[in-house]
Amino acid sequence: MKPRHNEKGGALVLIAVLTTGLLLMTGVGADVGMMLFRRGQMQAATDAAALAGALLLDRTDTLAIDEAKLFAEKNGYPLQAGEATVVTWSRLKVSIQRPVSLLLAPFLELAEVDVGASSVAEYALVHRGVRPLGIPDQVFETYRDYAVKLGAGSNGGGNFQALSLDNRGSPTFEEHFKYGSDVMVSVPSMVPTETGNMSGPTDNAASYLLSKAPATPSYEKVLEMAAADPDSITAYPRVITVCIVKDFAINGRKEVEVIGFARFYLDSNNKGEVHARYIDRFNSVQQPGTKYRVRLVG
């Protein structure tokens, strides 16, 4: 009889091979799970950071980036230089990449594997309240320059086309000019004028809006967009809505009657005088406040 092969030894080899394969599969599964888990953590951190930062894009890029850094750190991933960037005036991007240790790293001659996540958040104004400015009723023409706010020396009286929408004076006048009023204004309604020229608050607010010039298309493009879809231009910083008033008295300060609204394209300001070009006119009630949204777009 021929001697039988050592079947026991063959079985041990087979078991060893299968066990090694099973361990490798388990290790690969654990490593893949770890990478996915870390990536999920990073994605949550970049999402939160991008959304938080985008909320401040209407202020300054620096504040927006600082806020993104704060929220990323709160979620366990302090940002490094260049990981939070303002892509456009309304979009902020946060990208991170960090090493993750693997169970199989020693066998694969790898120390770590880089895992990353990226988020882009967009800030969008969907409505701006009316600005505290009143322009006398007239036949408005496109491409023509109008003084939507008069400066010192522009007239011989005490009215400068500055309106007091909430009777609280300079602080809220500037805020309302920058971001839109938090007061609902209807047609018709009586609104008091401000008791002064509001030159300082006017210059601060107008300069802020003009600093956002890259965020607004050209006047010609805005006219084209407004004709196709009036709501399409509401988010642009240099598009402002002002009150159209009846019988705006040059001499003396008093209440004026709001009979409509007009949108203008902000062009310049100088010592409290603001100039803009006419876009369109309407009579619908102006809802209070600036409403905005932030959303993830990438």
Side-chain angles (χ1 to χ4, degrees), residues 3-45:
R4 301 178 67 181
H5 293 293
N6 190 342
E7 295 180 356
K8 184 177 181 180
L12 289 174
V13 171
L14 179 60
I15 291 172
V17 170
L18 292 174
T19 302
T20 301
L22 182 61
L23 289 173
L24 285 173
M25 291 176 62
T26 302
V28 169
D31 284 341
V32 170
M34 177 60 69
M35 288 189 291
L36 292 175
F37 174 71
R38 294 297 184 197
R39 188 184 183 282
Q41 286 185 319
M42 293 179 190
Q43 192 66 61

Side-chain angles (χ1 to χ4, degrees), residues 3 23 42 167 181 186 196 268 277:
L23 289 173
M42 293 179 190
N167 293 308
S181 169
S186 59
S268 65
R277 282 171 287 177

Side-chain angles (χ1 to χ4, degrees), residues 21 24 34 39 45 68 99 103 105-106 123 126 137 139 153 167 172-174 183 196 211 234 265 286 288:
L24 285 173
M34 177 60 69
R39 188 184 183 282
L103 291 173
Y123 171 94
V126 295
D137 186 25
V139 177
N167 293 308
T172 55
F173 179 87
E174 182 174 331
V183 176
S211 73
T234 57
Y265 187 91
Q286 291 301 286

Side-chain angles (χ1 to χ4, degrees), residues 48-248:
L51 288 168
L55 276 172
L56 297 183
L57 282 175
D58 72 318
R59 307 288 173 156
T60 67
D61 291 356
T62 300
L63 284 175
I65 290 175
D66 286 347
E67 189 75 356
K69 289 179 178 178
L70 176 63
F71 272 75
E73 185 171 1
K74 285 183 176 180
N75 282 274
Y77 289 92
L79 297 182
Q80 301 171 6
E83 292 186 327
T85 55
V86 176
V87 182
T88 68
W89 74 277
S90 62
R91 291 190 175 188
L92 184 141
K93 181 177 182 180
V94 177
S95 298
I96 59 177
Q97 193 167 18
R98 299 289 185 271
V100 175
S101 299
L102 301 178
L103 291 173
L104 296 180
F107 303 100
L108 301 176
E109 297 183 356
L110 294 172
E112 296 167 319
V113 172
D114 285 340
V115 175
S118 178
S119 303
V120 178
E122 179 183 64
Y123 171 94
L125 288 168
V126 295
H127 178 79
R128 289 179 180 268
V130 66
R131 269 35 178 211
L133 306 176
I135 187 168
D137 186 25
Q138 57 197 283
V139 177
F140 297 106
E141 300 174 5
T142 55
Y143 291 94
R144 180 179 170 183
D145 176 87
Y146 292 89
V148 294
K149 162 70 174 62
L150 299 178
S154 298
N155 60 57
N159 280 322
F160 300 92
Q161 298 179 196
L163 303 181
S164 178
L165 297 178
D166 63 359
N167 293 308
R168 293 170 62 187
S170 301
T172 55
F173 179 87
E174 182 174 331
E175 288 296 302
H176 288 173
F177 198 152
K178 279 184 179 180
Y179 307 116
S181 169
D182 57 6
V183 176
M184 184 173 70
V185 183
S186 59
V187 175
S189 62
M190 301 301 294
V191 176
T193 58
E194 283 288 2
T195 57
N197 185 14
M198 295 295 165
S199 179
T202 294
D203 285 340
N204 292 339
S207 295
Y208 165 79
L209 293 172
L210 289 169
S211 73
K212 301 294 183 180
T216 307
S218 68
Y219 174 67
E220 290 75 12
K221 182 63 176 178
V222 166
L223 286 179
E224 178 184 325
M225 294 171 65
D229 178 10
D231 291 334
S232 65
I233 64 172
T234 57
Y236 293 123
R238 291 176 64 178
V239 175
I240 61 173
T241 300
V242 306
C243 298
I244 300 174
V245 300
K246 180 181 179 181
D247 299 328
F248 204 117

